[in-house]
Amino acid sequence: MTAIREAIYAALAADHPMTVRGAFYRVTVTGAIAKTEAEYQTVKRLLADMRRSREVPYNWIADSSRWMRRPTTYSSAEEALRRTAATYRQALWDDAPVAVEVWLEKEALAGVLAEVCREWDVPLMVCRGYPSMSFLHSAAEAIHGRAQHDQHTHLYYFGDHDPSGVDIDRAVRQGIGESLAALDGFAAEDAGEAEDTFYDFATLDRVAVTTAQIGAWNLPTRPTKASDSRARNFKGASVEVDSIQPAQLRQLAESCIEAHVDRHELGVLQTVEAEERRVLERMAATLDGGDQ
DNA sequence: TGAGCCCACCTAGAGTTAAC
DNA sequence: GTTAACTCTAGGTGGGCTCA
């Protein structure tokens, strides 16, 4: 096994499933390879070989770009109720003064933050680089809907520290602001007005990568690509969000979310949730002809 | 084995060019 | 002078084949 294969295996063994791209990033952070397209091709090829040879289990690699559509069906009404009971959850944020969303630049890191977001009933918004207009408009509709119930939305953003990465914050605020203005029946005159409108409804904090984290955590840097058209207005080296350890990213997300959670309300909600789940289980048992 | 090509997609902003 | 269309370079996902 080559050094690169060992590095790939170690990255996946420590944290999986992840995408091929994600594995590539983890290995670049260790210094085993450079972050170049040529090295990415190498990782792709090696990972294909490692899967075929069963050196790496297939389920360690996630492919989120191909997916299946099929309806949800049940063998019986009783099974439907049992499955509902097993997955039933009370909405955590419905009555909270603030709703939280986690925004992520890279699909490759979705697996790192998905579990934290699922646990806390928080939407994970994956941009895949710059977000699309449609994606931003959908987000704006959700934010606008919450505002009708006096609920402010707090966005926590995770992205690269590079010329395009730091600009995505602005694109999110501006794009959502434009849609929010439209939803309120007016057109934002310029970028500044769009951002002002955004702040009337929501807040966005960049959680990672920040300049403070680069210094404090001694994060590995890479030269900023001069070919990026935004490089002129960007100072210093670039840092990938992937260079922060997955556990540390999860901890960052969790602390952001927990800051908005009312512990007392959470306890009440969990009690209600458990009782209502038992109701569903009893209904399923009745259909099954059981005696629970 | 590693490098260098190719393919299928998605998104954005910046800068240039052509049309009005 | 303004606007629209286009090109280029960024960001992201996955796969393949050939050649030295």
Side-chain angles (χ1 to χ4, degrees):
Chain A
M1 190 187 281
T2 67
I4 299 174
R5 290 176 92 102
E6 286 174 358
I8 292 170
Y9 184 88
L12 284 164
D15 203 28
H16 57 262
M18 68 170 77
T19 60
V20 173
R21 195 85 187 179
F24 164 66
Y25 288 141
R26 293 305 316 163
V27 176
T28 62
V29 169
T30 67
I33 55 170
K35 186 177 179 279
T36 63
E37 271 310 296
E39 296 283 38
Y40 174 53
Q41 305 302 323
T42 301
V43 170
K44 278 198 307 190
R45 185 178 47 75
L46 289 176
L47 256 178
D49 183 57
M50 290 165 85
R51 274 176 286 177
R52 288 196 187 94
S53 65
R54 301 293 191 269
E55 195 178 326
V56 162
Y58 275 88
N59 61 9
W60 280 15
I61 295 296
D63 177 0
S64 56
S65 63
R66 279 92 175 172
W67 46 288
M68 166 178 81
R69 295 184 197 210
R70 61 159 290 186
T72 303
T73 54
Y74 306 95
S75 56
S76 66
E78 181 256 335
E79 191 209 350
L81 276 171
R82 285 207 187 282
R83 277 209 230 169
T84 303
T87 57
Y88 176 71
R89 290 179 65 182
Q90 282 263 319
L92 179 56
W93 302 90
D94 277 2
D95 299 320
V98 172
V100 175
E101 293 180 354
V102 171
W103 284 63
L104 178 60
E105 178 182 343
K106 294 178 174 175
E107 171 79 33
L109 287 174
V112 172
L113 298 181
E115 182 57 28
V116 172
C117 291
R118 193 199 65 76
E119 184 183 340
W120 289 101
D121 191 19
V122 164
L124 175 59
M125 312 290 281
V126 181
C127 300
R128 299 177 77 166
Y130 277 92
S132 65
M133 283 175 66
S134 301
F135 189 66
L136 291 173
H137 187 75
S138 297
E141 285 179 325
I143 291 169
H144 194 265
R146 293 184 197 114
Q148 306 310 303
H149 300 93
D150 297 322
Q151 192 179 44
H152 191 79
T153 302
H154 204 125
L155 282 61
Y156 289 103
Y157 182 78
F158 292 73
D160 291 346
H161 180 79
D162 60 22
S164 288
V166 298
D167 187 54
I168 293 173
D169 301 27
R170 179 204 56 74
V172 168
R173 289 191 302 269
Q174 189 180 322
I176 290 178
E178 285 171 3
S179 285
L180 286 170
L183 288 166
D184 262 359
F186 69 96
E189 292 294 323
D190 51 34
E193 190 176 350
E195 290 208 38
D196 288 345
T197 306
F198 171 83
Y199 283 117
D200 287 341
F201 290 82
T203 304
L204 187 150
D205 282 336
R206 169 174 274 264
V207 184
V209 178
T210 65
T211 49
Q213 289 163 350
I214 297 168
W217 298 342
N218 197 28
L219 299 175
T221 61
R222 61 169 167 81
T224 296
K225 292 171 185 166
S227 51
D228 188 333
S229 54
R230 300 172 193 85
R232 266 186 315 185
N233 301 317
F234 183 84
K235 290 185 174 61
S238 297
V239 176
E240 307 280 336
V241 66
D242 316 77
S243 65
I244 300 175
Q245 289 299 316
Q248 203 160 15
L249 285 172
R250 289 191 199 97
Q251 201 273 322
L252 281 171
E254 192 148 33
S255 60
C256 290
I257 296 166
E258 280 192 276
H260 299 280
V261 173
D262 182 324
R263 289 282 169 186
H264 173 71
E265 286 296 322
L266 177 63
V268 171
L269 187 138
Q270 286 172 334
T271 302
V272 172
E273 182 180 290
E275 177 52 37
E276 292 183 343
R277 187 175 295 129
R278 280 192 289 274
V279 169
L280 287 166
E281 286 166 352
R282 282 197 294 272
M283 289 168 71
T286 303
L287 279 176
D288 194 32
D291 57 359
Q292 291 179 49

Coordinates of all heavy atoms in Angstrom, one line a residue, chain A residues 66-147:
Chain A
R66 N -25.9 11.2 -7.4 CA -26.8 10.3 -8.0 C -27.8 9.8 -7.0 O -27.4 9.5 -5.9 CB -26.1 9.1 -8.6 CG -25.4 9.3 -9.9 CD -24.0 9.8 -9.8 NE -23.3 9.9 -11.1 CZ -22.1 10.5 -11.2 NH1 -21.5 11.0 -10.2 NH2 -21.6 10.6 -12.4
W67 N -29.1 9.8 -7.4 CA -30.0 9.3 -6.4 C -31.2 8.7 -7.0 O -31.4 8.7 -8.2 CB -30.4 10.5 -5.5 CG -30.8 11.8 -6.2 CD1 -29.9 12.6 -6.8 CD2 -32.0 12.3 -6.4 NE1 -30.5 13.7 -7.3 CE2 -31.9 13.5 -7.1 CE3 -33.3 12.0 -6.0 CZ2 -32.9 14.3 -7.5 CZ3 -34.4 12.8 -6.4 CH2 -34.2 13.9 -7.1
M68 N -32.1 8.1 -6.2 CA -33.2 7.3 -6.6 C -34.5 8.0 -6.2 O -34.6 8.6 -5.1 CB -33.1 6.0 -6.0 CG -34.3 5.1 -6.1 SD -33.9 3.5 -5.3 CE -34.1 3.9 -3.6
R69 N -35.5 7.9 -7.1 CA -36.8 8.4 -6.7 C -37.7 7.2 -6.6 O -37.8 6.4 -7.5 CB -37.4 9.4 -7.7 CG -36.6 10.7 -7.8 CD -37.3 11.6 -8.8 NE -36.5 12.6 -9.3 CZ -36.9 13.8 -9.6 NH1 -38.1 14.1 -9.6 NH2 -36.0 14.7 -10.1
R70 N -38.4 7.1 -5.5 CA -39.4 6.0 -5.4 C -40.4 6.4 -4.3 O -40.0 7.1 -3.4 CB -38.8 4.7 -5.1 CG -38.1 4.5 -3.8 CD -38.0 3.1 -3.3 NE -39.2 2.6 -2.9 CZ -39.4 1.4 -2.3 NH1 -38.3 0.6 -2.2 NH2 -40.6 1.0 -1.9
P71 N -41.6 6.1 -4.5 CA -42.6 6.5 -3.5 C -42.4 5.7 -2.2 O -41.8 4.6 -2.2 CB -44.0 6.1 -4.1 CG -43.6 5.0 -5.1 CD -42.2 5.3 -5.6
T72 N -42.8 6.3 -1.1 CA -42.8 5.6 0.2 C -44.0 4.7 0.3 O -45.2 5.3 0.2 CB -42.8 6.6 1.4 OG1 -41.6 7.5 1.2 CG2 -42.7 5.9 2.7
T73 N -43.8 3.5 0.5 CA -45.0 2.5 0.6 C -44.8 1.7 1.8 O -43.7 1.5 2.3 CB -45.0 1.7 -0.7 OG1 -43.8 1.0 -0.9 CG2 -45.4 2.5 -1.9
Y74 N -45.9 1.1 2.2 CA -45.9 0.2 3.4 C -46.7 -1.1 3.1 O -47.6 -1.1 2.3 CB -46.6 1.0 4.6 CG -46.0 2.3 4.9 CD1 -46.6 3.5 4.3 CD2 -44.9 2.4 5.7 CE1 -46.0 4.7 4.6 CE2 -44.3 3.7 5.9 CZ -44.9 4.8 5.4 OH -44.3 6.0 5.6
S75 N -46.3 -2.1 3.8 CA -47.0 -3.4 3.6 C -48.4 -3.4 4.3 O -49.3 -4.2 3.9 CB -46.2 -4.5 4.1 OG -45.8 -4.4 5.4
S76 N -48.6 -2.5 5.2 CA -49.9 -2.4 5.9 C -50.0 -1.1 6.7 O -49.0 -0.4 6.9 CB -50.0 -3.5 6.9 OG -49.1 -3.4 8.0
A77 N -51.2 -0.7 7.1 CA -51.4 0.5 7.9 C -50.7 0.4 9.2 O -50.2 1.4 9.7 CB -52.9 0.7 8.1
E78 N -50.7 -0.8 9.7 CA -50.0 -1.1 11.0 C -48.5 -0.8 10.9 O -47.9 -0.1 11.7 CB -50.2 -2.5 11.4 CG -49.6 -2.9 12.8 CD -48.3 -3.7 12.6 OE1 -48.2 -4.4 11.5 OE2 -47.5 -3.7 13.5
E79 N -47.9 -1.2 9.8 CA -46.5 -0.9 9.6 C -46.2 0.6 9.4 O -45.2 1.1 9.9 CB -46.0 -1.7 8.3 CG -44.4 -1.7 8.2 CD -43.9 -1.7 6.8 OE1 -44.7 -2.0 5.9 OE2 -42.7 -1.5 6.6
A80 N -47.1 1.2 8.7 CA -47.0 2.7 8.5 C -47.0 3.4 9.8 O -46.2 4.3 10.1 CB -48.2 3.2 7.6
L81 N -47.9 3.0 10.7 CA -48.0 3.6 12.1 C -46.7 3.3 12.9 O -46.2 4.2 13.6 CB -49.2 3.1 12.8 CG -50.5 3.9 12.5 CD1 -51.7 3.1 13.1 CD2 -50.5 5.3 13.0
R82 N -46.2 2.1 12.8 CA -45.0 1.7 13.6 C -43.8 2.5 13.1 O -43.0 3.0 13.9 CB -44.7 0.2 13.4 CG -45.7 -0.6 14.2 CD -45.0 -2.0 14.6 NE -46.0 -2.8 15.2 CZ -46.4 -2.7 16.5 NH1 -45.9 -1.8 17.3 NH2 -47.3 -3.5 17.0
R83 N -43.7 2.7 11.8 CA -42.6 3.5 11.2 C -42.8 5.0 11.6 O -41.8 5.6 11.9 CB -42.5 3.4 9.7 CG -41.8 2.1 9.3 CD -41.1 2.3 7.9 NE -41.5 1.3 7.0 CZ -41.2 1.4 5.7 NH1 -40.6 2.4 5.2 NH2 -41.5 0.4 4.9
T84 N -44.0 5.4 11.6 CA -44.2 6.8 12.0 C -43.9 7.0 13.5 O -43.2 8.0 13.9 CB -45.7 7.2 11.8 OG1 -46.0 7.0 10.4 CG2 -46.0 8.7 12.1
A85 N -44.3 6.0 14.3 CA -44.0 6.1 15.7 C -42.4 6.1 15.9 O -41.9 6.9 16.8 CB -44.6 4.9 16.5
A86 N -41.7 5.3 15.2 CA -40.3 5.2 15.3 C -39.6 6.5 15.0 O -38.5 6.8 15.5 CB -39.8 4.1 14.5
T87 N -40.1 7.2 14.0 CA -39.4 8.4 13.5 C -40.1 9.7 14.0 O -39.6 10.8 13.7 CB -39.4 8.4 12.0 OG1 -40.7 8.4 11.5 CG2 -38.6 7.2 11.4
Y88 N -41.2 9.6 14.7 CA -41.9 10.8 15.1 C -41.1 11.7 16.0 O -40.5 11.3 16.9 CB -43.2 10.4 15.9 CG -44.0 11.6 16.4 CD1 -44.7 12.4 15.5 CD2 -44.0 11.9 17.7 CE1 -45.3 13.5 15.9 CE2 -44.7 13.1 18.2 CZ -45.3 13.9 17.3 OH -46.0 15.0 17.7
R89 N -41.2 13.0 15.6 CA -40.5 14.0 16.4 C -41.3 15.3 16.5 O -41.9 15.7 15.5 CB -39.1 14.4 15.8 CG -38.1 13.3 15.9 CD -36.8 13.6 15.3 NE -36.1 14.7 16.0 CZ -35.0 15.3 15.6 NH1 -34.4 14.8 14.5 NH2 -34.4 16.3 16.2
Q90 N -41.2 16.0 17.6 CA -41.9 17.3 17.7 C -40.9 18.3 17.1 O -39.7 18.2 17.2 CB -42.0 17.6 19.2 CG -43.2 16.9 19.9 CD -44.4 17.8 19.9 OE1 -44.3 19.0 20.2 NE2 -45.6 17.3 19.6
A91 N -41.5 19.3 16.4 CA -40.7 20.4 15.8 C -40.2 21.2 16.9 O -40.9 21.7 17.8 CB -41.6 21.2 14.9
L92 N -38.8 21.4 16.9 CA -38.1 22.0 18.0 C -38.3 23.5 18.0 O -38.2 24.2 19.1 CB -36.7 21.6 18.0 CG -35.7 22.1 19.1 CD1 -36.2 21.9 20.5 CD2 -34.3 21.6 18.9
W93 N -38.4 24.1 16.8 CA -38.2 25.6 16.7 C -39.5 26.3 16.5 O -39.5 27.6 16.4 CB -37.2 25.9 15.6 CG -35.9 25.2 15.8 CD1 -35.5 24.0 15.3 CD2 -34.8 25.8 16.5 NE1 -34.2 23.7 15.7 CE2 -33.8 24.8 16.5 CE3 -34.6 27.0 17.2 CZ2 -32.5 25.0 17.1 CZ3 -33.3 27.1 17.8 CH2 -32.3 26.2 17.7
D94 N -40.7 25.6 16.4 CA -41.9 26.3 16.0 C -42.3 27.5 16.9 O -42.7 28.5 16.4 CB -43.1 25.3 16.1 CG -43.2 24.4 14.8 OD1 -42.3 24.7 13.9 OD2 -44.1 23.6 14.7
D95 N -42.0 27.3 18.2 CA -42.4 28.4 19.1 C -41.2 29.2 19.6 O -41.4 30.0 20.5 CB -43.2 27.8 20.3 CG -44.5 27.1 19.8 OD1 -45.1 27.6 18.9 OD2 -44.8 26.0 20.4
A96 N -40.1 29.0 19.0 CA -38.9 29.7 19.5 C -38.8 31.1 18.8 O -39.3 31.3 17.7 CB -37.6 28.9 19.1
P97 N -38.2 32.1 19.5 CA -38.2 33.4 18.9 C -37.2 33.5 17.7 O -37.3 34.4 16.9 CB -37.7 34.3 20.1 CG -37.0 33.4 21.0 CD -37.7 32.1 20.9
V98 N -36.3 32.5 17.7 CA -35.3 32.5 16.6 C -35.2 31.1 16.0 O -35.3 30.1 16.7 CB -33.9 32.9 17.1 CG1 -32.8 32.6 16.1 CG2 -33.8 34.3 17.6
A99 N -35.2 31.0 14.6 CA -34.9 29.8 14.0 C -33.5 29.7 13.5 O -32.9 30.8 13.1 CB -35.9 29.6 12.8
V100 N -32.9 28.6 13.4 CA -31.5 28.5 13.1 C -31.3 27.7 11.8 O -32.1 26.7 11.6 CB -30.7 27.8 14.2 CG1 -29.2 27.6 13.8 CG2 -30.7 28.7 15.5
E101 N -30.4 28.1 10.9 CA -30.1 27.3 9.7 C -28.5 27.2 9.7 O -27.9 28.2 10.0 CB -30.6 28.0 8.5 CG -32.1 28.0 8.3 CD -32.6 28.7 7.1 OE1 -31.8 29.2 6.3 OE2 -33.8 28.7 6.8
V102 N -28.0 26.1 9.3 CA -26.6 25.9 9.0 C -26.4 25.9 7.5 O -27.0 25.1 6.8 CB -26.1 24.7 9.7 CG1 -24.6 24.4 9.3 CG2 -26.2 24.7 11.2
W103 N -25.5 26.8 7.1 CA -25.2 26.9 5.6 C -23.8 26.5 5.4 O -22.8 26.8 6.1 CB -25.4 28.4 5.2 CG -26.8 28.8 5.0 CD1 -27.7 28.9 6.0 CD2 -27.4 29.1 3.8 NE1 -28.9 29.2 5.4 CE2 -28.8 29.4 4.1 CE3 -27.0 29.3 2.4 CZ2 -29.7 29.8 3.1 CZ3 -27.9 29.6 1.5 CH2 -29.3 29.9 1.8
L104 N -23.6 25.7 4.3 CA -22.3 25.0 4.1 C -21.9 25.2 2.6 O -22.7 25.0 1.7 CB -22.4 23.5 4.4 CG -21.2 22.6 4.2 CD1 -20.1 23.1 5.1 CD2 -21.6 21.2 4.6
E105 N -20.7 25.6 2.4 CA -20.2 25.9 1.0 C -20.1 24.5 0.2 O -20.4 24.5 -1.0 CB -18.9 26.6 1.0 CG -18.3 26.8 -0.4 CD -17.0 27.5 -0.5 OE1 -16.6 28.1 0.6 OE2 -16.3 27.5 -1.5
K106 N -19.6 23.5 0.9 CA -19.2 22.3 0.2 C -20.0 21.1 0.5 O -20.2 20.7 1.6 CB -17.7 22.0 0.5 CG -16.8 23.0 0.0 CD -15.4 22.6 0.4 CE -14.3 23.6 -0.2 NZ -13.0 23.3 0.2
E107 N -20.5 20.5 -0.6 CA -21.2 19.2 -0.4 C -20.4 18.2 0.3 O -20.9 17.3 1.1 CB -21.6 18.7 -1.8 CG -22.2 17.3 -1.9 CD -23.7 17.3 -1.5 OE1 -24.3 18.2 -1.8 OE2 -24.1 16.3 -0.9
A108 N -19.1 18.2 0.0 CA -18.2 17.2 0.6 C -18.2 17.1 2.1 O -17.8 16.1 2.7 CB -16.7 17.5 0.1
L109 N -18.6 18.2 2.8 CA -18.6 18.3 4.2 C -20.0 18.1 4.8 O -20.2 18.2 6.0 CB -18.0 19.6 4.7 CG -16.5 19.7 4.6 CD1 -16.0 21.1 5.0 CD2 -15.8 18.6 5.4
A110 N -21.0 17.9 3.9 CA -22.4 17.7 4.4 C -22.5 16.6 5.4 O -23.2 16.7 6.4 CB -23.3 17.5 3.2
G111 N -21.8 15.5 5.2 CA -21.8 14.3 6.1 C -21.3 14.7 7.5 O -21.7 14.1 8.5
V112 N -20.4 15.6 7.5 CA -19.8 16.0 8.8 C -20.8 16.7 9.7 O -20.9 16.5 10.9 CB -18.6 16.9 8.6 CG1 -18.1 17.5 9.9 CG2 -17.5 16.1 7.9
L113 N -21.6 17.6 9.1 CA -22.6 18.4 9.9 C -24.0 17.9 9.9 O -24.8 18.4 10.7 CB -22.6 19.9 9.3 CG -21.2 20.6 9.4 CD1 -21.4 22.0 8.9 CD2 -20.7 20.7 10.9
A114 N -24.3 16.9 9.0 CA -25.7 16.5 8.9 C -26.2 15.9 10.2 O -27.4 16.2 10.6 CB -25.8 15.4 7.8
E115 N -25.4 15.1 10.9 CA -25.9 14.5 12.1 C -26.3 15.5 13.2 O -27.3 15.4 13.9 CB -24.9 13.5 12.6 CG -25.3 12.7 13.8 CD -26.6 11.9 13.6 OE1 -26.9 11.5 12.5 OE2 -27.3 11.7 14.6
V116 N -25.4 16.5 13.3 CA -25.6 17.6 14.3 C -26.9 18.3 14.0 O -27.8 18.5 14.8 CB -24.5 18.6 14.4 CG1 -24.8 19.8 15.2 CG2 -23.2 17.9 14.9
C117 N -27.1 18.6 12.7 CA -28.3 19.3 12.3 C -29.6 18.5 12.5 O -30.6 19.0 12.9 CB -28.1 19.8 10.8 SG -26.9 21.0 10.6
R118 N -29.4 17.2 12.1 CA -30.6 16.3 12.3 C -31.0 16.2 13.8 O -32.1 16.3 14.1 CB -30.2 14.9 11.8 CG -31.4 14.0 11.6 CD -31.0 12.5 11.5 NE -30.4 12.0 12.8 CZ -31.1 11.7 13.9 NH1 -32.4 11.8 13.9 NH2 -30.4 11.3 15.0
E119 N -30.0 16.1 14.6 CA -30.2 15.9 16.1 C -31.0 17.2 16.6 O -31.9 17.0 17.5 CB -28.9 15.7 16.8 CG -29.1 15.5 18.3 CD -27.7 15.4 19.0 OE1 -26.7 15.1 18.3 OE2 -27.7 15.6 20.2
W120 N -30.6 18.3 16.1 CA -31.2 19.6 16.7 C -32.3 20.1 15.8 O -32.7 21.2 15.9 CB -30.1 20.6 16.8 CG -29.2 20.3 18.0 CD1 -28.0 19.8 17.9 CD2 -29.5 20.5 19.4 NE1 -27.4 19.6 19.2 CE2 -28.4 20.0 20.1 CE3 -30.6 21.0 20.1 CZ2 -28.3 20.0 21.5 CZ3 -30.5 21.0 21.5 CH2 -29.4 20.5 22.2
D121 N -32.8 19.3 14.8 CA -33.9 19.7 13.9 C -33.6 21.0 13.2 O -34.4 21.9 13.1 CB -35.2 19.8 14.8 CG -36.4 20.0 13.9 OD1 -36.4 19.6 12.7 OD2 -37.4 20.4 14.5
V122 N -32.4 21.2 12.7 CA -31.9 22.4 12.0 C -31.7 22.1 10.6 O -31.0 21.1 10.2 CB -30.6 22.9 12.7 CG1 -29.9 23.9 11.8 CG2 -31.0 23.5 14.1
P123 N -32.2 22.9 9.6 CA -31.9 22.7 8.2 C -30.4 22.9 7.9 O -29.8 23.8 8.4 CB -32.7 23.8 7.5 CG -33.6 24.4 8.5 CD -33.0 24.1 9.9
L124 N -29.9 22.0 7.1 CA -28.5 22.1 6.6 C -28.6 22.5 5.2 O -29.1 21.8 4.3 CB -27.8 20.8 6.8 CG -26.3 20.7 6.2 CD1 -25.4 21.8 6.8 CD2 -25.7 19.3 6.3
M125 N -28.1 23.7 4.9 CA -28.3 24.3 3.5 C -26.9 24.2 2.8 O -26.0 24.9 3.2 CB -28.7 25.8 3.6 CG -29.9 26.0 4.6 SD -31.4 25.4 4.0 CE -31.9 26.6 2.8
V126 N -26.8 23.3 1.8 CA -25.5 23.1 1.1 C -25.6 23.8 -0.2 O -26.4 23.6 -1.1 CB -25.3 21.6 0.9 CG1 -24.0 21.4 0.2 CG2 -25.3 20.8 2.2
C127 N -24.6 24.8 -0.3 CA -24.7 25.7 -1.5 C -24.0 25.1 -2.7 O -24.3 25.4 -3.8 CB -23.9 27.0 -1.2 SG -24.6 27.9 0.2
R128 N -23.0 24.2 -2.6 CA -22.2 23.7 -3.7 C -21.5 24.9 -4.4 O -21.9 25.2 -5.6 CB -22.9 22.9 -4.6 CG -23.5 21.6 -3.9 CD -24.3 20.8 -4.9 NE -23.5 20.0 -5.8 CZ -24.0 19.0 -6.5 NH1 -25.2 18.6 -6.4 NH2 -23.2 18.4 -7.3
G129 N -20.7 25.7 -3.7 CA -20.1 26.9 -4.3 C -21.1 28.0 -4.2 O -21.8 28.1 -3.1
Y130 N -21.2 28.8 -5.2 CA -22.2 29.9 -5.1 C -23.6 29.3 -5.2 O -23.9 28.4 -6.0 CB -22.1 30.8 -6.3 CG -21.0 31.9 -6.1 CD1 -19.7 31.7 -6.4 CD2 -21.3 33.1 -5.4 CE1 -18.7 32.6 -6.2 CE2 -20.3 34.0 -5.2 CZ -19.0 33.8 -5.6 OH -18.1 34.7 -5.3
P131 N -24.5 29.7 -4.3 CA -25.9 29.2 -4.4 C -26.6 29.7 -5.6 O -26.4 30.8 -6.1 CB -26.5 29.7 -3.1 CG -25.7 31.0 -2.8 CD -24.4 30.8 -3.3
S132 N -27.6 28.9 -6.1 CA -28.4 29.3 -7.2 C -29.5 30.3 -6.8 O -29.8 30.4 -5.6 CB -29.0 28.1 -7.8 OG -30.0 27.5 -6.9
M133 N -30.0 31.0 -7.7 CA -31.1 32.0 -7.4 C -32.3 31.2 -6.8 O -33.0 31.7 -5.9 CB -31.6 32.7 -8.7 CG -30.7 33.8 -9.2 SD -31.2 34.4 -10.8 CE -32.8 35.1 -10.4
S134 N -32.6 30.1 -7.4 CA -33.8 29.3 -7.0 C -33.6 28.9 -5.5 O -34.5 28.9 -4.7 CB -33.9 28.0 -7.8 OG -34.1 28.4 -9.2
F135 N -32.3 28.4 -5.2 CA -32.1 28.0 -3.8 C -32.2 29.2 -2.8 O -32.8 29.0 -1.8 CB -30.6 27.5 -3.8 CG -30.2 26.8 -2.5 CD1 -30.8 25.6 -2.1 CD2 -29.3 27.3 -1.7 CE1 -30.5 25.0 -0.9 CE2 -28.9 26.7 -0.5 CZ -29.5 25.5 -0.1
L136 N -31.7 30.3 -3.2 CA -31.8 31.5 -2.4 C -33.2 31.9 -2.2 O -33.7 32.4 -1.1 CB -30.9 32.6 -2.9 CG -29.4 32.4 -2.9 CD1 -28.7 33.5 -3.6 CD2 -28.9 32.3 -1.4
H137 N -34.0 31.8 -3.3 CA -35.4 32.3 -3.2 C -36.2 31.3 -2.3 O -37.0 31.8 -1.5 CB -36.0 32.3 -4.6 CG -37.4 32.9 -4.6 ND1 -37.6 34.3 -4.5 CD2 -38.6 32.3 -4.6 CE1 -38.9 34.5 -4.5 NE2 -39.6 33.3 -4.6
S138 N -35.9 30.0 -2.4 CA -36.6 29.1 -1.5 C -36.2 29.4 0.0 O -37.1 29.4 0.9 CB -36.2 27.7 -1.8 OG -36.5 27.3 -3.1
A139 N -35.0 29.7 0.2 CA -34.5 30.1 1.6 C -35.3 31.3 2.1 O -35.7 31.4 3.2 CB -33.0 30.2 1.6
A140 N -35.4 32.3 1.1 CA -36.0 33.6 1.5 C -37.5 33.3 1.8 O -38.0 33.9 2.8 CB -35.9 34.6 0.3
E141 N -38.1 32.4 1.1 CA -39.6 32.2 1.4 C -39.7 31.6 2.8 O -40.7 31.9 3.5 CB -40.1 31.2 0.3 CG -40.4 31.8 -1.0 CD -40.9 30.9 -2.1 OE1 -40.5 29.7 -2.0 OE2 -41.7 31.3 -2.9
A142 N -38.8 30.7 3.2 CA -38.9 30.1 4.5 C -38.6 31.2 5.6 O -39.4 31.2 6.6 CB -37.8 29.0 4.6
I143 N -37.7 32.0 5.3 CA -37.3 33.1 6.3 C -38.5 34.1 6.4 O -38.9 34.5 7.5 CB -36.1 33.9 5.8 CG1 -34.8 32.9 6.0 CG2 -35.8 35.1 6.6 CD1 -33.6 33.5 5.3
H144 N -39.1 34.4 5.2 CA -40.2 35.3 5.2 C -41.4 34.7 6.0 O -42.1 35.4 6.7 CB -40.6 35.6 3.8 CG -41.5 36.8 3.6 ND1 -42.9 36.7 3.5 CD2 -41.3 38.1 3.5 CE1 -43.5 37.8 3.4 NE2 -42.5 38.8 3.4
G145 N -41.6 33.4 5.7 CA -42.7 32.7 6.4 C -42.6 32.8 7.9 O -43.6 33.0 8.7
R146 N -41.4 32.6 8.4 CA -41.1 32.6 9.8 C -41.4 34.0 10.4 O -41.9 34.2 11.5 CB -39.7 32.2 10.1 CG -39.4 30.8 9.8 CD -38.0 30.4 10.3 NE -37.6 29.2 9.6 CZ -36.6 29.1 8.7 NH1 -35.9 30.2 8.4 NH2 -36.3 27.9 8.2
A147 N -41.0 35.0 9.6 CA -41.1 36.4 10.0 C -42.6 36.8 10.2 O -42.9 37.6 11.1 CB -40.5 37.4 9.0

